[in-house]
Amino acid sequence: MKLQLNGVMTDTQATTLADLLQAEGLGEAKVATAVNGSFVPAAARTMHVLHPGDSVEVLAPMQGG
């Protein structure tokens, strides 16, 4: 399926957000996720089904002051 990951068109076999993160090497990373502009908490990623054309954003936390 084709979807956008951080603004880049990507072809993936992942069916859930958790599967996509695992496939991208981010399965254990502490990241924030959103699909089509809506925040998806870590606890909901295994149940969040992806669809062709979805826009997925994965953001790493930043430290600063």
Side-chain angles (χ1 to χ4, degrees):
M1 130 176 59
K2 290 189 183 280
L3 51 79
Q4 279 195 36
L5 176 59
N6 290 343
V8 177
M9 286 304 290
T10 303
D11 195 12
T12 183
Q13 297 300 315
T15 58
T16 67
L17 183 54
D19 292 341
L20 179 63
L21 293 176
Q22 192 68 38
E24 294 295 318
L26 299 168
E28 300 300 319
K30 302 291 185 203
V31 294
T33 55
V35 177
N36 300 324
S38 296
F39 174 71
V40 180
R45 292 175 188 160
T46 57
M47 297 175 291
H48 192 96
V49 176
L50 297 173
H51 302 283
D54 277 350
S55 178
V56 179
E57 294 291 328
V58 180
L59 304 168
M62 299 183 74
Q63 294 181 326

